[in-house]
Amino acid sequence: MAPVPAATRYDPSQFNPEHNSRTESGAFTISKENKQQSKNPDFLPTWDPNQKFPPLKFFEFHDKGLLADPEFPNLFPKDIDHKVKSVTPKLGSEINGIQLSQLNDEGKNELALFLAQRGVAIFRDQDFSSYGPEFAVNYGKYFGPLHVHPTSGSPEGFPQLHITFRGASKKELESAFATRTNNIGWHSDVSYELNPPQITFFSVLEGPEAGGDTIFADTVEAYKRLSPAFQARLEGLHVLHTAEDQANINQEAGGIVRRKAVSNIHPLVRQHPVTKEKFLFLNREFGRKIVELKESESDQLLEFLFNHVESAHDLQLRAKWEPNTVVLWDNRRTIHSAVIDWETPVLRHAFRISPQGERPVEDLKYLNDETYLQDKYDLIKK
């Protein structure tokens, strides 16, 4: 089987022993010391042992980007002074002068199209987080049903928000490298779901003056770099993605599981519903096995592809966090990792919104087909 993520890797969205106090309702939350330092109490994470949710079900999805004007007149109106700058020629753009909070529905449609085309969008000087959790939830719902994470922390009353929180303690900071030489963990978010997220909104509320960047890799360009013969070999292969390891690790740490862990099968090469481009759908954290191959064959092929994407700096970008920055990415055609590189213990507090998208398909003729890949599920049951 492909490598299982080590339980020792520091994940700031999951429960850890530093979260040792309780809310009035009895939910676990961060320590009193960290709570006193936080400037954003409405976004603090909680873990309620009594909170349970039913399994997620398949749903049809139609991307808002398909409704967009490709000239982007509402996202980038000519009467507003703004600047759009490419971070790299093929991946990522940085935007100044546009407020996400003020976009109308047409502007949001164009935002979805822009993300499909550019992969990552870094919006500076935003007031997005100042409107509070309810605004963030309602905003995200426009793009699709919001994913509720089975194990991560969320503000009380808003399980749709995924919170990452690193406390201002030396012990918590040092734990990131207690058993590892780095804390890099390339992934796309919750790819184990039947309908994984299509867009991710991420906003850092508090953080170090420098450091804590997020790195992204472009799996569209990664696919294009492969030889035609190798691309052809990948066609028709499918990967088992699972939440089992994440759930087990979280329970071992004393956390909760709101929803039973699931496993799903997705194509290794999928087609984007908006751009129609093909790309690799990889996930070192959750992708376990190519179901058509024997274990050793699967391991070697997946490891080659992981290294192909993760080590190629010429198809990556590094998003630097500045005050009031909101970064959005297409969770289908990119993978990403957080970076821990600061030394002084400070709070790093952020929230994520993840609208779910279409069930991944290798060809758009299968889009929204509920029976897609049923034969593959039968294969792994044997």
Side-chain angles (χ1 to χ4, degrees):
M1 299 287 277
V4 175
T8 54
R9 193 176 79 78
Y10 183 85
D11 187 339
S13 70
Q14 304 302 309
F15 186 85
N16 72 65
E18 295 288 316
H19 304 322
N20 53 21
S21 62
R22 298 263 189 159
T23 66
E24 291 184 2
S25 66
F28 292 102
T29 188
I30 62 173
S31 68
K32 293 179 180 179
E33 294 77 14
N34 282 323
K35 192 172 183 179
Q36 289 172 352
Q37 294 187 48
S38 173
K39 300 176 183 177
N40 297 274
D42 291 345
F43 285 97
L44 289 177
T46 63
W47 291 263
D48 185 350
N50 299 316
Q51 195 175 49
K52 301 295 180 183
F53 294 106
L56 297 179
K57 295 182 179 181
F58 166 85
F59 63 88
E60 289 192 11
F61 177 76
H62 303 280
D63 198 295
K64 296 292 187 181
L66 296 170
L67 304 175
D69 186 329
E71 299 298 319
F72 304 110
N74 299 283
L75 179 60
F76 304 127
K78 294 181 179 179
D79 60 344
I80 294 181
D81 186 24
H82 67 277
K83 184 176 182 180
V84 182
K85 179 177 68 174
S86 294
V87 181
T88 78
K90 297 180 180 180
L91 179 67
S93 296
E94 182 173 320
I95 299 95
N96 286 273
I98 299 295
Q99 285 293 342
L100 288 168
S101 64
Q102 302 307 308
L103 293 181
N104 58 19
D105 288 353
E106 289 77 15
K108 292 174 184 176
N109 295 341
E110 293 167 17
L111 176 63
L113 174 60
F114 186 73
L115 284 170
Q117 294 177 347
R118 295 298 297 160
V120 180
I122 304 166
F123 284 82
R124 302 294 189 192
D125 299 317
Q126 296 295 298
D127 61 5
F128 192 82
S129 63
S130 68
Y131 291 93
E134 185 173 5
F135 173 85
V137 168
N138 290 333
Y139 192 100
K141 283 180 179 177
Y142 178 79
F143 298 91
L146 296 190
H147 182 257
V148 175
H149 200 282
T151 61
S152 70
S154 61
E156 284 195 308
F158 300 99
Q160 307 94 331
L161 297 183
H162 170 102
I163 305 298
T164 64
F165 188 93
R166 291 182 173 94
S169 72
K170 187 176 181 180
K171 180 181 178 182
E172 190 169 354
L173 185 60
E174 290 177 345
S175 69
F177 305 104
T179 60
R180 298 168 57 93
T181 58
N182 69 74
N183 203 64
I184 299 302
W186 288 101
H187 63 285
S188 64
D189 295 328
V190 297
S191 64
Y192 46 72
E193 302 291 11
L194 191 60
N195 289 68
Q198 31 114 6
I199 294 175
T200 296
F201 294 73
F202 198 81
S203 180
V204 174
L205 302 165
E206 299 176 66
E209 183 176 345
D213 300 343
T214 305
I215 48 179
F216 295 90
D218 184 0
T219 60
V220 171
E221 181 63 17
Y223 176 75
K224 292 178 178 179
R225 299 271 181 91
L226 299 173
S227 66
F230 201 87
Q231 290 177 348
R233 180 63 190 92
L234 300 181
E235 298 283 344
L237 296 181
H238 302 82
V239 179
L240 176 69
H241 297 245
T242 184
E244 293 284 352
D245 307 307
Q246 185 182 70
N248 292 338
I249 290 168
N250 194 69
Q251 286 183 311
E252 289 173 6
I256 64 168
V257 176
R258 301 183 185 91
R259 192 172 59 247
K260 186 178 178 180
V262 297
S263 298
N264 279 294
I265 298 171
H266 299 310
L268 178 56
V269 178
R270 60 184 284 197
Q271 189 174 15
H272 200 289
V274 178
T275 66
K276 310 300 188 290
E277 291 185 297
K278 291 184 177 182
F279 58 97
L280 298 173
F281 191 53
L282 290 171
N283 200 325
R284 187 183 285 273
E285 290 198 6
F286 304 128
R288 289 292 163 266
K289 186 182 185 297
I290 298 173
V291 298
E292 293 86 358
L293 301 183
K294 294 181 178 181
E295 187 172 302
S296 57
E297 296 169 338
S298 171
D299 287 352
Q300 292 214 26
L301 181 52
L302 284 177
E303 191 62 31
F304 168 80
L305 293 173
F306 290 145
N307 288 333
H308 167 57
V309 180
E310 296 169 3
S311 64
H313 299 303
D314 52 357
L315 52 79
Q316 299 174 6
L317 69 79
R318 186 170 180 131
K320 177 178 175 55
W321 290 99
E322 297 175 358
N324 302 314
T325 293
V326 179
V327 176
L328 295 83
W329 62 87
D330 188 314
N331 190 60
R332 300 166 288 200
R333 56 158 294 182
T334 62
I335 60 172
H336 63 278
S337 176
V339 175
I340 300 179
D341 56 355
W342 67 94
E343 295 182 340
T344 304
V346 295
L347 292 182
R348 189 180 188 277
H349 184 192
F351 70 92
R352 183 178 91 193
I353 318 168
S354 300
Q356 292 177 259
E358 76 282 357
R359 182 182 185 178
V361 294
E362 55 204 302
D363 189 308
L364 293 181
K365 67 183 180 182
Y366 300 114
L367 188 64
N368 293 323
D369 180 355
E370 190 171 3
T371 65
Y372 176 61
L373 298 185
Q374 186 56 58
D375 59 325
K376 302 300 178 183
Y377 284 85
D378 293 340
L379 183 65
I380 64 172
K381 292 177 183 177
K382 294 179 180 179

